[in-house]
Amino acid sequence: MSNDTFHGTTILALRSGATVVMAGDGQVTLGNIVTKHRARKVRKIFHDKIIIGFAGATADALTLSEKLEEKLERYNGNLTRSCVELAREWRTDKYLRRLEAMMLAADHGNTYLLSGNGDVIEPDPIEPDKGVISIGSGSPAAQSAAIALMENTDLSARQIVEKAMKIAGDLCIYTNHEVNIEELN
């Protein structure tokens, strides 16, 4: 499953110190037609302690969101364990295996990318990721912009995410400027 599969979104997560910020654009595209401009692809779950963002088929992403919440309840909010268990189930379950989506999940200490291939990827907080990870069709632009801004400005994490998402929206035809941002401090 590659990022090219998922048109119509850009999800960006950035961790800086004790702050994690996640943003998603609002555009939903079916084929070459924009069908929605203000979709909410980033939200807080599990008592507002975890932020998730998703790319891919909406129903599939919502199913994964529900499954992650179930795992979080089962493992007392342990994001690492919940993500690993969800990825394992996603890869092996006949029904879940067909879901076409990717997800970012972050809490105060961890950020993960989950995929149907069984991937649970955590960005390197040092080099070269600098605590930045993204998914979706505009992710290369958003992630590159965020890393460059982190290295060359004194902007806050939220300001960096806002500017990086604007750049992604300027470059990716499947990404718009209607950005939803969630933050944990």
Side-chain angles (χ1 to χ4, degrees):
M1 205 177 295
S2 75
N3 270 349
D4 295 337
T5 307
F6 305 116
H7 296 302
T9 199
T10 299
I11 306 295
L12 173 66
L14 181 147
R15 181 173 297 282
S16 179
T19 301
V20 62
V21 180
M22 191 178 298
D25 78 300
Q27 183 167 305
V28 176
T29 309
L30 289 175
N32 58 1
I33 297 173
V34 176
T35 58
K36 190 168 184 175
H37 298 278
R38 291 186 180 95
R40 191 166 167 249
K41 302 171 197 169
V42 173
R43 58 181 46 107
K44 288 183 179 177
I45 63 170
F46 194 72
H47 316 293
D48 291 339
K49 295 179 182 177
I50 294 172
I51 305 171
I52 60 166
F54 55 82
T58 305
D60 293 354
L62 292 175
T63 299
L64 291 171
S65 170
E66 290 171 6
K67 287 287 189 185
L68 180 59
E69 283 203 84
E70 289 172 13
K71 301 291 183 197
L72 288 164
E73 290 293 335
R74 181 173 181 187
Y75 298 112
N76 299 315
N78 182 325
L79 182 61
T80 302
R81 176 90 189 266
S82 298
C83 286
V84 168
E85 292 299 322
L86 175 59
R88 182 189 58 75
E89 184 178 349
W90 189 357
R91 189 185 74 238
T92 59
D93 183 89
K94 283 184 177 183
Y95 168 71
L96 291 179
R97 191 170 37 208
R98 293 190 192 127
L99 298 181
E100 295 182 12
M102 293 180 86
M103 178 184 289
L104 294 182
D107 64 8
H108 286 289
N110 305 288
T111 305
Y112 298 108
L113 181 154
L114 291 90
S115 82
N117 296 332
D119 298 320
V120 179
I121 300 168
E122 183 174 22
D124 187 341
I126 311 297
E127 295 287 338
D129 303 332
K130 301 196 182 311
V132 180
I133 196 160
S134 61
I135 55 175
S137 56
S139 87
Q143 187 164 342
S144 298
I147 291 170
L149 288 166
M150 287 178 74
E151 291 178 351
N152 297 298
T153 67
D154 292 327
L155 297 173
S156 71
R158 185 180 186 98
Q159 291 169 320
I160 289 170
V161 166
E162 289 170 348
K163 289 185 179 298
M165 289 298 291
K166 181 178 182 326
I167 290 167
D170 289 346
L171 296 174
C172 177
I173 63 170
Y174 298 106
T175 301
N176 70 10
H177 293 107
E178 299 293 330
V179 176
N180 173 250
I181 299 175
E182 294 288 349
E183 186 171 347
L184 296 174
N185 291 314

